[in-house]
Amino acid sequence: MKQSHFERRLAACYDELKWLYTELYGDTPCFQALLDSMRSFAEARRPALQALDLEREADPGWYRRSDMLGMMLYTEQFAGRLSGIEERIPYLKELRVRYLHLMPLLKMPEEENDGGYAVSDFRQVDGRIGTMEELSRLADVCRAEGMSICLDFIVNHTSDEHEWAVRAKKGEPAYQARYLCFDTYDIPAEYEKTVPQVFPNTAPGNFIFCKEMGKYVLSSFNPYQWDINYKNPAVFHEMAENLLYLANVGIEIFRIDAVPYLWKELGTSCRNLPQVHTVMRMLRMIAKAVCPAVVFKGEVVMAPREVAPYFGPVDKPECDILYNVTTMVCIWNSLATRDVTLLKWQMETMDALPPEFTFVNYVRCHDDIGWGLEERSVEYLGADPLEHKKFLYHFYTGDYPGSFARGELYNYDPVTQDARSCGTCASLCGVEAALEAGDEGLLETAIRRHLMIHAYIASLSGIPVIYSGDEIAQLNDWQYREDPVKAMDSRFIHRGKLDWARAAGRHDRSSVQGRVFTGLQEIIRLRAENPVFSAGAREHTLETGDRAVLAFQREGGGQVLAAAYNFCEQPRRISLALEGDYRDLFTGQAYCGGALELAPYQALWLLRS
Ligand code: GLC
């Protein structure tokens, strides 16, 4: 009999999968149960998805081309319910969105749920957002339009209303064994000595005491998010099955949430442990055997040297895509300091990585901006790291003299004086303050700033992702402070409802939203049409002799591009060591060597003729 595609794919990874499985869970019949379950998911996969599997096996770089562009949004804030998104597909297509990251929408607790990152049922859509059938239908409709749906897969924890937690609370030992529960505080106290806190201000400590159970439970994020125990093979199995279930619904990209946290060992920081990589590698093999159309986008918000290992070795890959978090932070640092030195170093670090690695490049997302700059590099610039961090977070609340930004502090820790920043891209770029001041000059500058950083991320190697609302320069939603469920979490300042009345003016070039929207459309079109922007192009920074201007060159797809960005409000004159004749893709202006003028916050994309 002809071998099925599943058997073929499984055969290719069987030995390694078994080896890793045995390393974590020993030699147990559970492994066979896992294989049986994978087989049944493979058989249940719809013909359209099976066809996609074959297509993508033949074209594994499908998500790395220059026309790839993501948008992330909250279904409720964008369109009310899942069914509403379908009507908005034409809007998304105006921006050439190719993958749509729907923020968490699975069943979650009624009130506090960490923006949906507390999942009560991995196989049910939250009733306020829609149904699983609607999600599946939307995935099909989007696929037909050339758009992939991306969903979070929250691997580290469940909500305390998930069936496992409910049964654990009722005293069932098998379910208590799916979490990390302790009768006394002795062991939790030991953990607390080495495990840092995720939300020191809004959810201090790593444990909660659960009265129903009479036990301490590890909850590294919020008290209602219980960390699950991957030392228990039942946990691994069910989570793998949940992933396959969602893949069969039609999800094509999984954002694997909070990856570094998923394995815990006493006496460690419980971050980035080797077993995390074993679990990720196994999940990847399982997915590639059952549903190879699927790709993994890992959320690893860590220092740069800790991020890249999540791609795994080239012959044993883990994530397909990772977030370029440090670049995002360096962009905001450069805007505040008008100095691109750290951003340039970060680019050089990224450019030294293998071209097979694919990063998501973004300026804003649903989370805060954590000022995790490499201390060494800040020190090198002659700045004290803590003082520099304080400058940044004050700058982005707007209370630093001369700051153009409007935003909020996030999780200020009075002990370490650490804090992060929140706000929409437009408000952090100065649009809100300029409108407040009624100053057309400042407004123009703020819009240029907003567009320039988007041009920058669109020109980097990887996939640009726009945070919904930024395309129309949506401002901070200060109303969150009035909502008792949200008031404690300032991230809600940049999670407001999409203002469709504002969006209606997006084609009017005299409005703020029109200038931003059409500007972004132009950036996206130029990127899509020029193969030099595909992932894998060779990239290196250029000397500009000016700390406010960043320049680099890309070579790929038969094209050569030199890009330059002015990170300050004064015009700059630089010279670049370039050979040949160039033409700016934005203005059509020719450049044949010599001095180069950049207007305030101008982005130049010089294509070699
Ligand atoms: C990720 C999410 C964040 C959430 C956390 C816990 O970091 O981006 O919003 O709070 O995971 O799930």
Side-chain angles (χ1 to χ4, degrees), residues 39-147:
R39 186 169 295 106
S40 46
F41 277 102
E43 282 162 6
R45 210 155 153 74
R46 284 180 279 139
L49 296 177
Q50 290 193 25
L52 192 69
D53 289 336
L54 292 176
E55 205 180 288
R56 298 225 168 125
E57 273 187 309
D59 180 22
W62 66 275
Y63 57 92
R64 287 165 50 85
R65 283 191 270 276
S66 67
D67 63 351
M68 193 57 175
L69 176 107
M71 176 173 271
M72 55 185 297
L73 54 84
Y74 285 93
T75 303
E76 325 83 284
Q77 305 300 62
F78 181 75
R81 293 176 57 89
L82 279 173
S83 49
I85 293 187
E86 229 177 286
E87 291 159 37
R88 302 293 188 189
I89 289 178
Y91 177 80
L92 300 170
K93 293 200 81 168
E94 282 181 38
L95 290 164
R96 300 181 187 230
V97 172
R98 295 285 316 282
Y99 93 75
L100 191 59
H101 175 191
L102 302 178
M103 297 304 289
L105 47 67
L106 298 176
K107 191 169 190 305
M108 60 187 95
E110 196 72 27
E111 295 205 326
E112 280 189 274
N113 51 44
D114 191 21
Y117 283 95
V119 177
S120 302
D121 187 342
F122 288 94
R123 300 194 184 195
Q124 214 181 314
V125 171
D126 194 276
R128 290 165 289 188
I129 302 173
T131 64
M132 210 37 106
E133 292 67 41
E134 283 169 5
L135 179 60
S136 178
R137 186 191 142 82
L138 179 66
D140 288 348
V141 173
C142 284
R143 193 173 314 110
E145 297 278 354
M147 219 185 286

Side-chain angles (χ1 to χ4, degrees), residues 29 31 33 63 115 137 158 163 170 172 176 231 253 268 287 297 313 325 349 369 380 392 407 413 439 451 472 605 607:
F31 183 66
Y63 57 92
R137 186 191 142 82
T158 71
E163 191 200 344
K170 283 194 184 137
E172 289 187 48
Q176 291 179 353
K231 289 188 179 163
I253 303 178
T268 72
K297 174 171 74 156
V325 54
T349 307
I369 305 170
Y380 183 83
L392 288 169
D413 183 340
D439 186 320
L451 285 173
I472 53 164
W605 283 359
L607 191 70

Side-chain angles (χ1 to χ4, degrees), residues 46 50 69 103 188 212 226 242 267 295 309 341 360 382 397 412 415 419 469 544 593 604:
R46 284 180 279 139
Q50 290 193 25
L69 176 107
M103 297 304 289
E212 290 103 313
W226 290 10
N242 287 333
V295 298
T341 312
V360 152
T397 55
Y412 174 71
V415 179
T544 67
L604 282 178

Side-chain angles (χ1 to χ4, degrees), residues 108-120 154 156-162 165 169 179 199 202-203 205-210 217-228 410 485-486 488-489 491-492 495:
M108 60 187 95
E110 196 72 27
E111 295 205 326
E112 280 189 274
N113 51 44
D114 191 21
Y117 283 95
V119 177
S120 302
I154 294 143
N156 180 67
H157 41 262
T158 71
S159 90
D160 63 353
E161 294 179 10
H162 186 280
K169 286 187 217 171
Y179 298 97
F199 299 135
T202 49
N206 286 292
F207 288 85
I208 54 125
F209 183 70
C210 172
V217 184
L218 182 71
S219 63
S220 0
F221 288 80
N222 287 295
Y224 50 85
Q225 288 165 302
W226 290 10
D227 292 59
I228 53 182
Y410 180 69
V485 177
K486 296 178 176 165
M488 281 296 287
D489 190 336
R491 290 176 299 176
F492 284 102
R495 297 178 181 173

